[in-house]
Amino acid sequence: MAELVMRDVSRIFRSGRGVRNLSLTVEEGEFFVVLGPSGVGKSTLLRLIAGLDTPDNGEIEIGGRSVTHRARPDHTVAMVFQNLALYPHMSAYENIAFPLKMMGLGRREIEERVRRTAALAGLEIDLNRRPSQLSGGERQRVALARALVREPRLILMDEPLSQVDVQLRSVLRVELKEFQRRTRRTIVYVTHDHDSAFVLGDRISVMHEGRIAQIGSPEEVYRRPANLFVARFLGHPPMNLLRCQVAESGRGLWVNDVRLELDPPDGESGELVLGIRPQDLSVQPEFGAVKLEVKVESLEYLGARYLVRARLGNQALLVELPRSLQPGQIAHLYARADRFHFFDATSGERIGQTHDKASTVTKG
Amino acid sequence: MSQRFKLLEICRRALSAFAVVTAVVPIYLLIKQAFSVELDSFAWPPRWIPHHLTLEHLHKVTSTGELRESLIRSAEVATVAACTATLLGTMLAYAMTRDLRARRWGLAALTASRLLPMIAVALPLATVLIRVGLYDTPSGLGLALVHAAIALPVAAILLLGAFAKIPLELEDAAFLDGASQLTILLRIYLPQLKQALAAAFVLSFLSSWDEFGFGLLLQPTNRTLPPLIYYYAVFGDVGAASALALVSTAPVLIVLVALRHILIRQPKPPAF
């Protein structure tokens, strides 16, 4: 059953930022990640779902009931804020108990539910301590427990992991994913960090300028980006995007004056944008049938691999290789034909097999 | 020790001595005059140690109707002024943390009101107070409102600093947790503003308690303490004036002692 449905929702601020004609559906028990650069409308989206803001247009439903014009939030939605928004003058226990107190529950029941929820959120600390006396990870768990304690249908998270250091973040991320898998809560998680999105999300919605650029599983959005924005935004180093011309015959491509023996999608002619990820290129001929002749310009040592900056025609190309090349040298790179992406040069939309599932993309 | 350090040391000592003399001597003289007989106060050459101690002045101050009345009036005026300034300052500061335009205009207005010479507004203010019937009232309400207006900028800016430390998300979080506006104010904001509220209250209270000019102009017959002390001193009863001045320091001490726990920040155990 669909837990959250948004239909054609708009909320546009005077600055021009906000959310435009946005529609999406989140299934019950799903970990849904909204991914996008900052200022793209992710937080607005979350505030609309939470009821902290009202849409200009459109409908929002939670659990089958319209909540578009609710006067105040009910107990169906809880939120974990970016800065966690723990009440600094209350102990961890009082923080978690606060929503229950507002519900008017008795002391016995509050105590029982706080203890249970704290355990569920993995809190093994003295709950009488204040937020300022807790570590970053403990604060995260207190914030999670406070969101969980009312047993909401929907938990919203606004980059709650962005303020802890990288190592702790990856630990907490796995923990959160594990927690969601175990409890099957419906979570909408907003982030600008695509590592978090990939680790956490059952599905990812990539946002661009207040709209959804693509919704799909992490594999789908990574392997089959629906447009140039998604192609550029996901993956690091980013996908190489080269302007190219379809050859007169309709077979083969020209990247400036370099010819590639790669067939464009059927029926395409004129200018296209060709995409290839830096990891999908190799110096070994058996790696793929498409050969690219490039000029090596410079190298960066990344530890496990080298990042090679090269030129194909007069366009820059990034390649990740396990071994180093000589700057100035002409190198031959190989890639599989199915690893190339094609985009319309004017609209930026993906061309060919867009709605095809990942089945045509063989793993390797 | 080098020549330069010696000079520095001399300057430092001279400054300390100056500070002690200017701060301690007047207080000592005040206490001495409040408890010594008239003859001692005016003896020539002046006596540093009084020869005869007396409680006469203190007794006069507490038993004379006029003095007692003005003491109470001053306390009332200062309390009303401090409460009003703190309350309005809180509302103003809250609006200024929520709304960028309110902040810009609010700060400009608060600063501008401080730039005006007070004496320039005193006469128009007196006219207004006469018209609304708050001029020279026994309760001193008109003066209290003026004092509140004078204290408001400081109170508002002090509270603005405290509000700015509270993230806006806290209010959103409490709202989602099901708290009403009143609950948010009482249980989320107030506990975190205690210190700033106390400080704003104390500063407003003291600025009103100590204010002389408007008191003189707006309460010519129903006097507050500072003008009364002035009258007594001018008309020659130095002993009573001193006793009164001494009494006027008491509420300040009481307020400071009562609020010391809130005003002095407790060191928090470190977070890790």
Side-chain angles (χ1 to χ4, degrees):
Chain A
M1 194 189 118
E3 191 59 64
L4 168 70
V5 181
M6 298 182 84
R7 271 188 227 102
D8 210 22
V9 171
S10 293
R11 175 78 175 104
I12 299 159
F13 299 105
R14 233 181 304 171
S15 62
R17 286 185 171 177
V19 162
R20 287 163 200 277
N21 306 101
L22 187 139
S23 298
L24 60 81
T25 303
V26 177
E27 301 297 327
E28 196 176 335
E30 187 176 27
F31 205 129
F32 189 85
V33 174
V34 179
L35 175 66
S38 51
V40 84
K42 302 180 307 258
S43 292
T44 307
L45 175 70
L46 223 49
R47 293 177 67 85
L48 288 169
I49 302 171
L52 290 169
D53 201 351
T54 318
D56 302 334
N57 287 305
E59 280 292 317
I60 303 173
E61 276 174 24
I62 296 172
R65 279 191 22 240
S66 172
V67 294
T68 318
H69 298 292
R70 72 202 131 167
R72 42 176 314 110
D74 42 25
H75 301 318
T76 56
V77 189
M79 186 156 165
V80 181
F81 290 83
Q82 180 164 17
N83 60 9
L84 303 182
L86 293 175
Y87 310 125
H89 56 292
M90 298 185 194
S91 67
Y93 180 92
E94 289 169 317
N95 264 282
I96 303 169
F98 190 73
L100 301 178
K101 273 191 195 145
M102 293 300 111
M103 285 167 78
L105 298 185
R107 259 185 62 191
R108 270 268 183 71
E109 191 178 355
I110 289 178
E111 165 135 27
E112 209 267 316
R113 280 174 73 168
V114 169
R115 302 275 170 220
R116 201 176 54 210
T117 313
L120 187 68
L123 266 173
E124 292 154 351
I125 52 156
D126 174 11
L127 290 178
N128 290 319
R129 284 155 82 187
R130 297 228 172 156
S132 60
Q133 296 165 303
L134 301 177
S135 71
E138 287 162 355
R139 272 181 236 165
Q140 295 280 342
R141 293 187 187 98
V142 173
L144 179 64
R146 188 178 67 182
L148 287 170
V149 76
R150 250 178 7 201
E151 310 201 332
R153 302 190 66 115
L154 191 58
I155 303 169
L156 309 173
M157 298 190 173
D158 190 358
E159 310 205 37
L161 296 179
S162 65
Q163 302 204 338
V164 293
D165 63 71
V166 180
Q167 283 178 5
L168 181 59
R169 191 185 307 166
S170 62
V171 172
L172 291 172
R173 206 151 58 191
V174 172
E175 217 172 80
L176 180 60
K177 181 70 187 170
E178 202 38 58
F179 164 80
Q180 192 269 342
R181 211 172 269 152
R182 206 170 61 232
T183 59
R184 300 312 300 173
R185 306 278 172 156
T186 314
I187 297 180
V188 178
Y189 186 104
V190 154
T191 182
H192 65 264
D193 169 29
H194 57 247
D195 287 344
S196 294
F198 282 136
V199 173
L200 293 171
D202 294 328
R203 279 193 306 152
I204 295 175
S205 148
V206 184
M207 277 186 79
H208 179 43
E209 288 176 353
R211 298 169 202 276
I212 290 177
Q214 186 175 7
I215 296 185
S217 70
E219 290 85 356
E220 273 167 347
V221 292
Y222 185 76
R223 294 199 180 143
R224 312 188 60 74
N227 47 52
L228 282 176
F229 175 77
V230 178
R232 230 178 259 135
F233 187 63
L234 293 181
H236 48 167
M239 184 189 280
N240 294 296
L241 295 165
L242 307 164
R243 295 207 155 254
C244 63
Q245 292 281 338
V246 177
E248 291 290 324
S249 59
R251 304 189 64 76
L253 295 169
W254 290 95
V255 176
N256 303 109
D257 53 356
V258 181
R259 187 179 160 84
L260 294 188
E261 292 305 329
L262 174 68
D263 289 341
D266 293 340
E268 294 295 330
S269 61
E271 199 172 80
L272 295 177
V273 175
L274 177 69
I276 180 86
R277 293 202 183 274
Q279 298 86 353
D280 287 339
L281 290 160
S282 169
V283 284
Q284 291 161 331
E286 57 272 25
F287 195 74
V290 182
K291 184 168 144 187
L292 294 79
E293 194 178 283
V294 302
K295 185 161 186 252
V296 177
E297 292 203 315
S298 64
L299 285 173
E300 281 167 43
Y301 181 53
L302 301 180
R305 307 175 75 92
Y306 290 87
L307 181 65
V308 180
R309 293 180 190 279
R311 259 178 201 284
L312 179 63
N314 60 15
Q315 298 181 56
L317 187 77
L318 290 174
V319 192
E320 256 189 50
L321 293 176
R323 65 187 190 80
S324 105
L325 296 172
Q326 277 301 317
Q329 125 184 41
I330 303 292
H332 289 137
L333 301 175
Y334 301 89
R336 289 162 47 154
D338 61 8
R339 290 299 165 90
F340 287 92
H341 309 257
F342 294 97
F343 302 95
D344 189 291
T346 46
S347 72
E349 294 301 310
R350 184 184 187 85
I351 299 168
Q353 316 136 335
T354 313
H355 301 294
D356 218 336
K357 288 287 168 197
S359 59
T360 51
V361 181
T362 28
K363 293 176 183 174
Chain B
M1 198 189 275
S2 79
Q3 208 61 14
R4 219 174 100 230
F5 278 115
K6 222 180 251 171
L7 191 67
L8 213 67
E9 187 63 19
I10 292 168
C11 287
R12 209 176 61 83
R13 293 212 172 157
L15 269 174
S16 315
F18 180 72
V20 168
V21 167
T22 50
V24 174
V25 170
I27 294 175
Y28 171 73
L29 287 179
L30 179 71
I31 296 170
K32 190 195 78 157
Q33 277 167 198
F35 291 107
S36 56
V37 294
E38 205 83 330
L39 274 172
D40 268 358
S41 299
F42 290 101
W44 194 262
R47 293 177 184 154
W48 284 103
I49 311 292
H51 290 190
H52 306 282
L53 289 177
T54 173
L55 288 175
E56 174 200 344
H57 306 307
L58 214 58
H59 183 251
K60 190 174 176 190
V61 164
T62 45
S63 57
T64 311
E66 185 189 29
L67 298 180
R68 214 178 35 225
E69 261 172 42
S70 77
L71 191 69
I72 293 167
R73 186 175 302 115
S74 259
E76 280 172 358
V77 166
T79 308
V80 171
C83 288
T84 312
T86 308
L87 190 70
L88 290 178
T90 308
M91 290 158 72
L92 207 63
Y94 179 70
M96 289 194 325
T97 47
R98 294 290 130 154
D99 188 312
L100 203 68
R101 215 152 13 131
R103 173 151 51 207
R104 242 192 340 251
W105 284 103
L107 279 175
L110 291 177
T111 316
S113 72
R114 295 298 280 181
L115 291 177
L116 274 179
M118 285 297 155
I119 197 68
V121 287
L123 287 177
L125 256 175
T127 322
V128 172
L129 288 180
I130 289 168
R131 203 169 297 160
V132 297
L134 287 175
Y135 180 76
D136 199 15
T137 55
S139 69
L141 183 62
L143 182 66
L145 293 180
V146 172
H147 282 172
I150 295 170
L152 181 61
V154 172
I157 287 167
L158 214 143
L159 283 159
L160 182 64
F163 266 113
K165 284 199 198 114
I166 303 175
L168 297 183
E169 284 87 348
L170 234 51
E171 188 177 339
D172 290 338
F175 182 65
L176 286 180
D177 283 345
S180 67
Q181 289 283 292
L182 188 67
T183 312
I184 290 174
L185 180 69
L186 294 181
R187 301 187 63 168
I188 305 297
Y189 278 115
L190 219 54
Q192 298 186 64
L193 290 172
K194 257 190 293 184
Q195 227 158 27
L197 285 170
F201 182 89
V202 168
L203 284 179
S204 311
F205 187 93
L206 294 186
S207 81
S208 166
W209 184 257
D210 196 35
E211 202 278 331
F212 177 74
F214 282 102
L216 192 68
L217 279 163
L218 301 178
Q219 300 286 130
T221 57
N222 294 301
R223 289 173 191 140
T224 51
L225 264 187
L228 195 70
I229 294 169
Y230 162 75
Y231 282 125
Y232 268 81
V234 166
F235 294 115
D237 198 346
V238 172
S242 303
L244 204 55
L246 197 62
V247 168
S248 78
T249 59
V252 179
L253 292 176
I254 293 170
V255 169
L256 285 179
V257 169
L259 295 176
R260 70 187 184 283
H261 290 301
I262 299 176
L263 287 172
I264 298 166
R265 206 174 285 263
Q266 303 286 328
K268 278 186 192 162
F272 51 90

